[in-house]
Amino acid sequence: QQQVKQSPQSLIVQKGGISIINCAYENTAFDYFPWYQQFPGKGPALLIAIRPDVSEKKEGRFTISFNKSAKQFSLHIMDSQPGDSATYFCAASNSGGSNYKLTFGKGTLLTVNP
Amino acid sequence: DTEVTQTPKHLVMGMTNKKSLKCEQHMGHRAMYWYKQKAKKPPELMFVYSYEKLSINESVPSRFSPECPNSSLLNLHLHALQPEDSALYLCASSQVSLAVDTQYFGPGTRLTVL
């Protein structure tokens, strides 16, 4: 019930291409879905987040698509750049509960080749 | 300023040592968190402090002892650790401890237990 399944585990994209990372969740109480980006030697940083009242959210080259019925959400990185090479974690939480815990996916290592 | 600082950056300790990790934020956040992150894994929540009070302990062994001296500081006291405790220890903070609050992570302390 608390799992968030993330795929792929690793992804190699050419510069200028589109990177797509997918996540699926089981707990229907989840209603907040952030994506974190982590560079080597750094802590994770919030990239973009979505609530289930919208099906898509775009910030610059980063877009989250959300499918509530399928319990899936995905991150699209348009015009991928070498500087986007990092590990990406999707996460989910229940904003209505007393549990402040973010449930993270296992992460995707993205490599963007020049 | 959205910075969370952590000291030291690296720590090597023996199994009989006592050491402390320090975390500081000056964003006026009232929730602070300790996470443990193993290589190529997502962060795992250890403790949550809300308004300087411990609100969540994720069944962490007593050899890890958190302390929140004030709203800006968070310590993690370490004693009699095991080699399997070697990991990146991340501190994070958020406005309050609601699930939808953005958590800002520090760069972490890389801990090696010999």
Side-chain angles (χ1 to χ4, degrees):
Chain A
Q1 274 287 318
Q2 292 295 320
Q3 279 190 324
V4 175
K5 295 181 180 179
Q6 183 172 347
S7 63
Q9 196 170 13
S10 62
L11 180 62
I12 300 175
V13 173
Q14 291 299 119
K15 179 182 175 182
I18 302 173
S19 303
I20 302 174
I21 304 171
N22 300 300
C23 285
Y25 62 98
E26 299 171 357
N27 187 348
T28 55
F30 286 151
D31 62 355
Y32 176 66
F33 303 91
W35 285 88
Y36 280 83
Q37 179 188 55
Q38 186 174 23
F39 293 105
K42 302 286 187 182
L46 180 69
L47 190 61
I48 187 172
I50 197 168
R51 299 291 295 267
D53 52 344
V54 296
S55 60
E56 186 175 282
K57 183 174 181 180
K58 185 176 180 179
E59 289 185 3
R61 295 184 295 108
F62 301 91
T63 300
I64 298 180
S65 297
F66 186 81
N67 186 329
K68 187 174 182 179
S69 60
K71 292 186 286 186
Q72 295 175 345
F73 57 109
S74 61
L75 176 69
H76 296 232
I77 306 175
M78 311 300 288
D79 187 26
S80 299
Q81 299 296 312
D84 297 330
S85 297
T87 299
Y88 293 80
F89 294 100
C90 63
S93 66
N94 174 7
S95 66
S98 59
N99 185 348
Y100 316 125
K101 185 175 180 177
L102 283 172
T103 300
F104 285 93
K106 292 190 174 182
T108 296
L109 177 62
L110 172 65
T111 303
V112 181
N113 288 329
Chain B
D1 183 10
T2 56
E3 189 178 26
V4 174
T5 59
Q6 291 187 244
T7 55
K9 289 185 178 181
H10 301 276
L11 179 62
V12 179
M13 60 186 291
M15 290 190 286
T16 58
N17 292 157
K18 285 185 181 181
K19 296 287 184 182
S20 296
L21 310 184
K22 180 180 174 181
C23 172
E24 194 165 4
Q25 58 87 14
H26 295 286
M27 295 178 277
H29 289 173
R30 303 311 301 271
M32 296 186 78
Y33 311 76
W34 279 116
Y35 286 86
K36 173 183 177 180
Q37 186 177 29
K38 291 281 208 178
K40 298 184 180 181
K41 298 289 186 183
E44 296 175 41
L45 183 65
M46 299 174 72
F47 303 103
V48 179
Y49 272 84
S50 178
Y51 293 87
E52 295 100 72
K53 293 193 186 315
L54 183 65
S55 60
I56 292 180
N57 176 341
E58 290 283 299
S59 303
V60 179
S62 59
R63 57 185 184 269
F64 295 92
S65 176
E67 178 196 19
C68 190
N70 61 56
S71 61
S72 300
L73 281 175
L74 186 66
N75 298 320
L76 186 62
H77 303 295
L78 314 172
H79 174 55
L81 294 192
Q82 304 298 310
E84 59 265 28
D85 297 321
S86 298
L88 181 68
Y89 287 84
L90 294 162
C91 174
S93 72
S94 63
Q95 191 81 14
V96 288
S97 52
L98 296 176
V100 297
D101 286 332
T102 299
Q103 292 187 25
Y104 295 89
F105 285 82
T109 292
R110 177 73 60 188
L111 174 68
T112 302
V113 181
L114 301 177

